[in-house]
């Protein structure tokens, strides 16, 4: 009986996903990923395992080489930068993601972060909790310009929501042909530098690759409006966190709403801590009940299909956008 390791933290023994895999003749083992995990613990957990349904487990080339029985890896989400896909390919391991599975959840959350930044909701709530009654003015989204970095499923889902609030939408994308997706002219595609200079809010929706790592550095912040806010629901390592902290602290940009950071959970010594204008959340963009249900079942279906040699969402080294 093939064995499956499940590390996605919201999947549990006896749930719908577990029952689906058991009905397919698979033996399941759950080891929820909460915070960082020692690599040796993961090697031990993967020993004798044929397939894995994973969260953000770092599956490096060295680790994959030590688990020879592993044949299939499925991410219960869109990003797969934590997996060394090239090494997996050399070892004959199929790697799949679930493109667009949580796009609506991420899009709604992105609008939530925009509203939070514009109306200073977190600042107000914290002030009341501390015994105060903050009454600083906020900003309306209507008439503001939103710049989307990336034009994948989540970014495309943001567009009608932003337009409903009366925002103008710009986009920059490194994926050829993406402009053709904008059939109604609701997005204007511009180069990265122009988007930075023109946007009141910049929202990141691109994949983490060698080319995009640290894309938002001191130079990028210097091109942005001093009143601009950065929103990141993609990957933390797309942002140079020390440069961001300095940019907000010195007024180069107004602030940042970050759902993701380079190291999760946020380390005690992170440069992002204690910076007025920077709010860090706990990687919740895709974590709705609906998105979790869909990702769990779709991941299980993909895992069974991949074990049978008919994976539908096998990934390669080609850059994608969230």
């Amino acid at each position: 009986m093939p064995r499956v390791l499940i590390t996605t933290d919201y999947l549990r023994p006896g749930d719908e996903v577990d029952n689906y895999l058991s009905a397919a003749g698979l033996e399941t083992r759950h080891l929820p990923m909460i915070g960082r995990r020692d690599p040796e613990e993961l090697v031990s957990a993967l020993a004798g395992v044929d397939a894995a349904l994973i969260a953000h487990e770092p599956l490096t080339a060295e680790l994959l080489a030590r688990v020879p029985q592993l044949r299939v890896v499925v991410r219960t989400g869109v990003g797969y930068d934590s997996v060394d896909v090239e090494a997996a390919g050399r070892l004959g391991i199929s790697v799949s993601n679930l493109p667009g599975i949580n796009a609506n959840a991420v899009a709604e959350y992105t609008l939530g972060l925009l509203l939070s930044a514009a109306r200073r909701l977190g600042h107000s709530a914290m002030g009341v909790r501390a015994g105060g009654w903050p009454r600083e003015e906020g900003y309306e989204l209507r008439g503001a310009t939103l710049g989307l970095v990336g034009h994948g499923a989540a970014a495309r889902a943001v567009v009608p929501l932003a337009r409903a609030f009366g925002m103008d939408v710009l986009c920059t994308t490194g994926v050829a042909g993406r402009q053709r997706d904008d059939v109604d002219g609701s997005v204007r595609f511009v180069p990265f530098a122009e988007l930075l200079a023109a946007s009141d809010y910049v929202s990141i929706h691109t994949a983490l690759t060698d080319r995009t790592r640290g894309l938002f550095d001191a130079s990028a912040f210097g091109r942005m409006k001093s009143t601009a806010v950065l929103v990141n629901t993609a990957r933390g390592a797309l942002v140079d966190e020390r440069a961001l902290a300095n940019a907000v602290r010195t007024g180069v940009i107004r602030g940042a709403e970050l759902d993701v950071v380079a190291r999760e959970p946020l380390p005690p010594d992170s440069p992002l801590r204690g910076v007025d204008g920077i709010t860090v959340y706990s990687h919740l963009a895709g974590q709705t009940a609906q998105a979790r249900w869909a990702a769990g079942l779709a991941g299980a279906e993909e895992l069974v299909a991949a074990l049978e040699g008919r994976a539908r969402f096998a990934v390669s080294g080609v850059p994608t956008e969230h």
Side-chain angles (χ1 to χ4, degrees):
M1 179 180 292
R3 297 178 179 177
V4 177
L5 176 69
I6 302 172
T7 71
T8 301
D9 59 0
Y10 55 82
L11 299 179
R12 297 284 186 269
D15 65 10
E16 194 170 1
V17 169
D18 194 38
N19 291 337
Y20 178 91
L21 294 172
S22 296
L26 306 177
E27 177 186 332
T28 61
R29 178 190 178 193
H30 290 73
L31 188 68
M33 181 182 179
I34 302 174
R36 288 182 286 275
R37 173 174 288 158
D38 187 293
E40 291 303 317
E41 181 185 0
L42 186 54
V43 169
S44 177
L46 287 168
V49 166
D50 300 277
L53 194 60
I54 67 167
H56 297 285
E57 304 284 357
L59 301 185
T60 64
E62 179 184 5
L63 184 149
L64 291 172
R66 296 174 62 188
V67 288
Q69 193 168 322
L70 186 65
R71 293 187 286 136
V72 168
V73 171
V74 177
R75 265 279 294 119
T76 49
V78 180
Y80 52 90
D81 47 275
S82 63
V83 181
D84 190 325
V85 176
E86 292 186 5
R90 291 194 300 270
L91 293 166
I93 301 171
S94 169
V95 179
S96 295
N97 71 336
L98 303 175
I101 195 69
N102 56 12
N104 187 70
V106 173
E108 290 185 2
Y109 189 87
T110 298
L111 262 292
L113 297 189
L114 293 176
L115 286 167
S116 179
R119 302 304 296 271
R120 305 196 71 191
L121 301 182
H123 171 78
S124 174
M126 291 177 65
V128 172
R129 177 177 291 183
W133 197 249
R135 296 279 294 165
E136 291 91 343
E137 68 180 15
Y139 298 88
E140 296 179 19
L141 295 181
R142 182 172 299 277
T145 298
L146 172 64
L148 301 174
V149 180
H151 197 237
R156 294 196 298 275
V158 167
V159 175
L161 304 182
R163 295 287 292 170
F165 274 88
M167 302 185 81
D168 295 320
V169 183
L170 304 178
C171 182
T172 189
T173 175
V175 178
R178 274 284 159 85
Q179 290 89 333
R180 292 194 294 271
D181 295 336
D182 181 44
V183 295
D184 61 359
S186 58
V187 176
R188 183 160 64 91
F189 289 85
V190 297
F192 183 54
E194 183 178 340
L195 179 140
L196 293 178
S199 298
D200 299 295
Y201 301 88
V202 176
S203 186
I204 309 175
H205 298 276
T206 193
L208 177 63
T209 66
D210 290 340
R211 181 179 60 83
T212 61
R213 185 177 298 274
L215 177 66
F216 282 83
D217 56 11
S219 175
F221 298 130
R223 292 187 174 96
M224 293 169 65
K225 294 180 178 181
S226 61
T227 54
V229 173
L230 179 72
V231 173
N232 189 8
T233 58
R235 286 292 181 267
L238 293 160
V239 177
D240 180 330
E241 293 177 347
R242 195 165 298 279
L244 172 61
N246 184 62
V248 175
R249 189 180 291 113
T250 60
V252 174
I253 65 172
R254 180 160 63 91
E257 300 276 319
L258 308 175
D259 188 51
V260 288
V261 289
R263 290 184 61 199
E264 298 179 3
L266 187 69
D269 61 350
S270 169
L272 300 172
R273 289 191 180 274
V275 182
D276 187 29
I278 296 179
T279 305
V280 179
Y281 303 87
S282 52
H283 203 153
L284 295 173
Q287 302 305 310
T288 63
Q290 296 92 331
R292 284 181 167 187
W293 177 83
L297 278 182
E301 291 169 358
E302 177 69 4
L303 185 145
V304 171
L307 280 172
E308 295 174 352
R310 49 183 183 85
R312 298 162 296 173
F313 305 117
V315 297
S316 65
V318 178
T320 62
E321 293 174 332
H322 293 71

